[in-house]
């Protein structure tokens, strides 16, 4: 069965520092990966996605992620974070169900940016 | 371009009652998926609707049911509410479910509290 693991439940970082949020997946078939962000008391916003092509994917708000098939990882990075990046970040894998897809999410990583 | 909308924003019910949550998909989308997000966890897939039919279902009891209307909007119904049903309920819409480019966009969610 496909699954997603986000090992870090919380990542504290100072403003303007770089950050990496880790995501590992398990899958025996083609992999389609997503990162979503959830700000307090809000729904999920799509940050970026990997479907095919370049393994380095750029998203909104200066985030990027790199798909690494050999390490089964899809880590999210940002070179310089802002206070406004404080939020919960979810990694997800798209799983085939007959003729459609569903998303399987990790447990989330809370990014806490401190001044 | 209107995104995914959900109503109501918050809802408080007591055990044993029934509840109906509503979702309007992003303009141009034809598929609606529902997810349950318990506190401190990632979203869990409940079911998906396309062409007014339930296509796929996650590991949720029959107390959870839904409907999709001809305008693609959808309802999630939960009967005989339990305390454990307290969660954020997220609706996600997509176009051409099952297509390679299938990407789910989420609404702000409905926060259900069962007392």
């Amino acid at each position: 069965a496909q699954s997603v693991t986000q090992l870090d439940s919380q990542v504290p970082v100072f403003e303007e520092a770089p950050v990496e949020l880790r995501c590992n997946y398990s899958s025996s078939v083609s992999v389609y990966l997503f990162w979503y962000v959830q700000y307090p008391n809000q729904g999920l916003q799509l940050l970026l996605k990997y479907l095919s092509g370049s393994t380095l994917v750029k998203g909104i708000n200066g985030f990027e992620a790199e798909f690494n098939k050999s390490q089964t990882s899809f880590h999210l990075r940002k070179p310089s974070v802002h206070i406004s990046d404080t939020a919960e970040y979810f990694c997800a894998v798209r799983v085939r169900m007959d003729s459609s897809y569903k998303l399987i999410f990790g447990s989330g990583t809370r990014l806490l940016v401190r001044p | 371009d209107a995104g995914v909308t959900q109503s109501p924003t918050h809802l408080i019910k007591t055990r044993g009652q029934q509840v109906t949550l509503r979702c309007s998909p992003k303009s141009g989308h034809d598929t609606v998926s529902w997810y349950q997000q318990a506190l401190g966890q990632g979203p869990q897939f409940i079911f998906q609707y396309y062409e007014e039919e339930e296509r796929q279902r996650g590991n949720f009891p029959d107390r959870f049911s839904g409907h999709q209307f001809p305008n693609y909007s959808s309802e999630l119904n939960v009967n005989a509410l339990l305390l454990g049903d307290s969660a954020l309920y997220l609706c996600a819409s997509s176009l051409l479910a099952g297509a390679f480019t299938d990407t789910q966009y989420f609404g702000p969610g409905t926060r259900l509290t069962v007392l």
Side-chain angles (χ1 to χ4, degrees), chain B residues 60-80:
Chain B
F60 280 81
D62 292 343
R63 297 187 298 109
F64 289 77
S65 63
H67 187 78
Q68 186 179 36
F69 299 94
N71 67 352
Y72 307 119
S73 66
S74 175
E75 288 182 349
L76 164 65
N77 300 292
V78 186
N79 295 321

Side-chain angles (χ1 to χ4, degrees), chain B residues 12-25:
Chain B
I12 299 175
K13 292 286 187 179
T14 57
R15 281 178 296 175
Q17 285 190 311
Q18 178 265 344
V19 68
T20 297
L21 311 181
R22 296 176 176 81
C23 170
S24 291

Side-chain angles (χ1 to χ4, degrees), chain B residues 67-108:
Chain B
H67 187 78
Q68 186 179 36
F69 299 94
N71 67 352
Y72 307 119
S73 66
S74 175
E75 288 182 349
L76 164 65
N77 300 292
V78 186
N79 295 321
L81 285 167
L82 303 173
L83 294 179
D85 295 332
S86 295
L88 180 67
Y89 288 85
L90 295 164
C91 168
S93 75
S94 57
L95 176 62
L96 298 177
F100 177 75
T101 54
D102 185 351
T103 298
Q104 295 186 11
Y105 294 87
F106 286 79

Side-chain angles (χ1 to χ4, degrees), chain A residues 36 38 49 94 98-100, chain B residues 48 55-56 102-104:
Chain A
Y36 287 87
Q38 186 174 38
K49 61 184 176 182
R94 193 176 77 179
D98 294 337
S99 57
S100 65
Chain B
Q48 183 181 85
R55 297 190 89 177
Q56 294 292 337
D102 185 351
T103 298
Q104 295 186 11

Side-chain angles (χ1 to χ4, degrees), chain B residues 2 7 11 20 24 27 34 36 38 44 48-51 59 67 72 76 81 84 87 90 96 104-105 110 112:
Chain B
S7 63
L11 208 50
T20 297
S24 291
S27 178
W34 286 92
Q36 180 195 65
Q44 300 285 322
Q48 183 181 85
Y49 276 85
Y50 173 70
E51 292 186 335
N59 189 26
H67 187 78
Y72 307 119
L76 164 65
L81 285 167
L90 295 164
L96 298 177
Q104 295 186 11
Y105 294 87
T110 294
L112 172 64

Side-chain angles (χ1 to χ4, degrees), chain A residues 32 34 36 38 41-46 49 51-52 90 94 96-108, chain B residues 33 35 37 40-43 45 48 55-56 58 88 90 97-109 111:
Chain A
Y32 308 103
F34 302 78
Y36 287 87
Q38 186 174 38
N41 301 312
Q42 294 188 28
L44 302 178
Q45 181 181 2
L46 179 65
K49 61 184 176 182
L51 300 182
S52 69
F90 291 95
R94 193 176 77 179
R96 191 81 184 180
M97 330 176 275
D98 294 337
S99 57
S100 65
Y101 293 105
K102 68 177 180 181
L103 293 173
I104 294 178
F105 288 86
S107 55
Chain B
S33 302
Y35 292 79
Q37 185 181 16
Q41 298 182 24
F45 176 75
Q48 183 181 85
R55 297 190 89 177
Q56 294 292 337
L88 180 67
L90 295 164
F100 177 75
T101 54
D102 185 351
T103 298
Q104 295 186 11
Y105 294 87
F106 286 79
R111 173 74 61 188

Side-chain angles (χ1 to χ4, degrees), chain A residues 37 39 61 63 78 80-87 89 111 113:
Chain A
V37 59
Y39 298 103
N61 301 341
F63 284 93
K78 187 170 182 177
S80 175
V81 294
H82 302 290
I83 295 290
S84 60
D85 291 324
T86 293
Y89 292 79
L111 176 62
V113 182

